[in-house]
Amino acid sequence: MSSETQSAETDQSLEKLLSSIYGLVAYLDCDCNFIKVNKAYAEADGHEPSFFIGKNHFELYPHAENEAIFRRVIKSGEPYPGSRYFCGSLFWASKPKQAANT
């Protein structure tokens, strides 16, 4: 199997996973840019999922304290105690706009 085929299959699997989750899910890169969001996440903010792709989380939802937490998680690779922030995993938020304030 070529790496291109494997990448396409991985992308399809991620898409299936995200579309099957009713909770709000955003997948970010290590610069806090959106890679993918599920439909529930996008709709909660009044957008299509494609709106978020490539945009920076903290440009859309500025919050210095949460950005510092995200950066610490990204740098350490360790989850923030008592939090939903994990580096390299799915980032959950109860409401996208409020995520910056939690």
Side-chain angles (χ1 to χ4, degrees), residues 45-93:
D45 203 34
H47 295 287
E48 290 294 319
S50 60
F51 166 82
F52 293 91
I53 309 310
K55 290 185 170 72
N56 185 274
H57 180 276
F58 293 105
E59 289 178 12
L60 293 177
Y61 313 112
H63 191 283
E65 183 180 355
N66 279 354
E67 184 170 3
I69 291 168
F70 272 54
R71 301 274 177 217
R72 182 168 55 191
V73 169
I74 290 166
K75 184 176 181 179
S76 71
E78 298 293 323
Y80 186 73
S83 175
R84 64 188 172 273
Y85 305 122
F86 300 89
C87 181
S89 66
L90 298 177
F91 288 73
W92 294 78

Side-chain angles (χ1 to χ4, degrees), residues 8 10-11 14 16 31 39 41 43 60-61 63 87 93 101:
T10 299
D11 192 52
L14 179 58
K16 284 181 185 179
D31 291 320
K39 189 172 182 172
Y41 187 99
E43 286 178 350
L60 293 177
Y61 313 112
H63 191 283
C87 181
N101 297 318

Side-chain angles (χ1 to χ4, degrees), residues 19-38:
S19 66
S20 69
I21 298 173
Y22 295 105
L24 285 66
V25 181
Y27 186 51
L28 308 174
D29 66 17
C30 286
D31 291 320
C32 298
N33 298 312
F34 289 95
I35 296 172
K36 288 192 181 294
V37 302
N38 70 348

